[in-house]
Amino acid sequence: MPDTSSNSGEGLSRLLSSKKDLSPLVLVFILLLGIVVGVFLIQFRQELRRRAAVAGVDFSLVPSKTTVSPNEKFTVDIVMNTNEFSVSATEIHVAFDANYLEAESIQESGFLPVVLPPGPQVGSGTASIILGSLPSDPKKGTGTVATINFKALKASGGPTEIRFDSGTQTAALGNAGDVTRNLSPTSVTVQGVVAPTPTKTPTPTKKPTATPTSKPAPTSTPTPKATATPTPLPTPTPLPSPTPGKANLEFKVKFQGISSQKSARLVRVMLMQGGSEVYRFDDVSVTADQSGVYLGSVGNITPGTYDVYIKGPIHLQKRFTSISISSGSNSQDWSGVTLKAGDFDANNVLNIIDIAGMLAEYTALSVPANQSNQKFDIDANGVINIIDVALVLTNYTALEVPGD
């Protein structure tokens, strides 16, 4: 097998000396969280598949009081019920009317005690926090994940709603994407007399003097803008018929986090015999169908039995052993095995360098993907968020996780 390892110690030193360095505490946390996430995934993967009928994770808001006075303080607990899911992280956004309520702070409450970047946030009419589990206690069950400390401002004249806002999402082990289901709001009444809004005495206005109006100039009818037609995704160019005595290989692969049609990607394909590389195809274009299964092909291969290695753009290399290839056209469907994401420096190893590189880009609750950071958008939905981070942490089961 080819030697694709690198000196992770030197890489870590470079990272810690860079402007985007992370504190030792953060690095240790990411290390420990990744280990427990991976171990827990192995233990529960089969159980989760058997219980796939469960719809999702539920949240509710529980106030300490439902009636308060102006300037009175109270709390609202954010309660999570994971049902049958094993939650690795959650991103919570709460909204309310800033005319009547003020959020003074939001803090974790022990159920998911690790606060992830960018930390607790409160603003006018909003409060948000991102949480993860402790290494020794990945979460399953019901518990309070966070508490918001409120101050009542003025009489509301009735119940004022406190609700979950858009962007609230949850990552669970063995599941791609958001598994949040029900988001139950609450309401609080700030009692007291609502002061009437003063009505201004209308100022008499002079009767306008009529002035002749000129005939309006004819207006031109705007030319409608052409509607852009979506560019269809390319399909793999069929290989020509193989040279007599040679073979073509068409294959299907699946990338972690992808479950719908996305843009084409480039992969590396290697065919080996007895530990020696026989064929190497760099930058093989693969294109996705509607369910996110990618199709590609290589050709002009001498018939025989090979170990085939597939390396995705940000994925650990995967080996498919003892593949018999005969002359003419051959087809292999490997989409039942997911290529794991997280190898951002393309050295076929997932380690703390890759984790730190991703967190260096994850500077807000939701970071738009662009040309420079799009490799961290694991599910290719146009943003880098907690779902992408959780997918990579799921694979981080040791200090270094090598590909095949």
Side-chain angles (χ1 to χ4, degrees):
M1 187 177 78
D3 184 7
T4 55
S5 63
S6 67
N7 192 326
S8 62
E10 292 180 1
L12 182 57
S13 298
R14 290 195 301 271
L15 172 70
L16 294 175
S17 63
S18 69
K19 293 182 179 179
K20 293 184 177 179
D21 61 0
L22 297 173
S23 69
L25 181 60
V26 173
L27 292 178
V28 169
F29 157 66
I30 293 299
L31 171 63
L32 295 176
L33 179 60
I35 292 173
V36 71
V37 165
V39 172
F40 201 71
L41 172 65
I42 294 171
Q43 294 175 343
F44 281 90
R45 180 174 294 166
Q46 295 301 322
E47 179 185 352
L48 289 173
R49 288 176 178 173
R50 289 194 301 269
R51 300 180 181 181
V54 176
V57 175
D58 298 330
F59 288 86
S60 58
L61 296 171
V62 181
S64 60
K65 299 180 179 181
T66 57
T67 302
V68 294
S69 301
N71 296 316
E72 185 175 356
K73 297 185 179 183
F74 65 99
T75 62
V76 172
D77 289 340
I78 303 171
V79 179
M80 168 191 282
N81 180 0
T82 71
N83 294 307
E84 297 300 328
F85 285 95
S86 299
V87 171
S88 58
T90 186
E91 177 179 335
I92 298 170
H93 299 267
V94 174
F96 50 90
D97 193 331
N99 290 311
Y100 308 116
L101 301 175
E102 176 188 352
E104 296 186 320
S105 64
I106 181 172
Q107 62 202 43
E108 57 83 16
S109 297
F111 193 70
L112 292 172
V114 180
V115 180
L116 296 172
Q121 310 243 313
V122 293
S124 178
T126 64
S128 60
I129 194 169
I130 303 178
L131 300 168
S133 63
L134 278 172
S136 60
D137 192 20
K139 279 307 171 185
K140 193 173 183 181
T142 301
T144 299
V145 294
T147 298
I148 307 174
N149 298 300
F150 278 101
K151 177 183 178 181
L153 299 180
K154 64 180 182 180
S156 58
T160 181
E161 187 181 51
I162 305 172
R163 59 180 174 80
F164 290 97
D165 207 357
S166 60
T168 297
Q169 55 188 329
T170 309
L173 302 181
N175 293 267
D178 181 20
V179 297
T180 304
R181 180 175 62 172
N182 296 319
L183 298 172
S184 300
T186 190
S187 61
V188 172
T189 299
V190 185
Q191 60 188 356
V193 178
V194 179
T197 303
T199 303
K200 291 184 179 180
T201 302
T203 303
T205 57
K206 293 182 179 180
K207 183 179 180 180
T209 303
T211 56
T213 57
S214 58
K215 185 178 181 180
T219 57
S220 59
T221 303
T223 303
K225 294 182 180 180
T227 302
T229 302
T231 303
L233 293 174
T235 55
T237 303
L239 288 173
S241 299
T243 303
K246 296 289 187 177
N248 289 345
L249 173 62
E250 185 179 74
F251 59 90
K252 293 180 179 181
V253 292
K254 184 78 171 176
F255 297 117
Q256 185 180 23
I258 304 296
S259 57
S260 61
Q261 193 171 41
K262 302 295 182 180
S263 59
R265 299 188 173 200
L266 298 177
V267 302
R268 182 181 70 201
V269 182
M270 291 191 299
L271 279 68
M272 303 182 67
Q273 289 179 327
S276 298
E277 180 181 311
V278 181
Y279 294 98
R280 181 189 183 102
F281 303 92
D282 292 313
D283 297 333
V284 176
S285 178
V286 292
T287 54
D289 63 15
Q290 296 295 330
S291 61
V293 173
Y294 280 77
L295 175 67
S297 57
V298 293
N300 203 28
I301 301 166
T302 299
T305 299
Y306 299 89
D307 288 342
V308 180
Y309 293 77
I310 307 289
K311 175 75 171 69
I314 58 166
H315 305 83
L316 295 174
Q317 185 168 267
K318 185 63 183 176
R319 177 180 60 190
F320 302 94
T321 59
S322 302
I323 304 302
S324 179
I325 299 177
S326 57
S327 60
S329 297
N330 297 262
S331 179
Q332 291 287 333
D333 186 350
W334 294 316
S335 61
V337 178
T338 301
L339 272 63
K340 297 180 178 180
D343 179 22
F344 301 119
D345 53 7
N347 66 348
N348 199 32
V349 174
L350 171 58
N351 57 24
I352 194 63
I353 307 300
D354 299 294
I355 301 296
M358 184 175 198
L359 290 181
E361 295 291 336
Y362 182 52
T363 56
L365 299 176
S366 181
V367 179
N370 55 44
Q371 189 172 1
S372 65
N373 68 10
Q374 63 184 359
K375 65 182 179 180
F376 302 109
D377 180 14
I378 307 302
D379 54 9
N381 68 345
V383 294
I384 302 166
N385 56 26
I386 191 61
I387 301 297
D388 300 300
V389 174
L391 284 171
V392 175
L393 288 179
T394 297
N395 304 325
Y396 190 49
T397 57
L399 292 174
E400 289 197 344
V401 181
D404 292 339

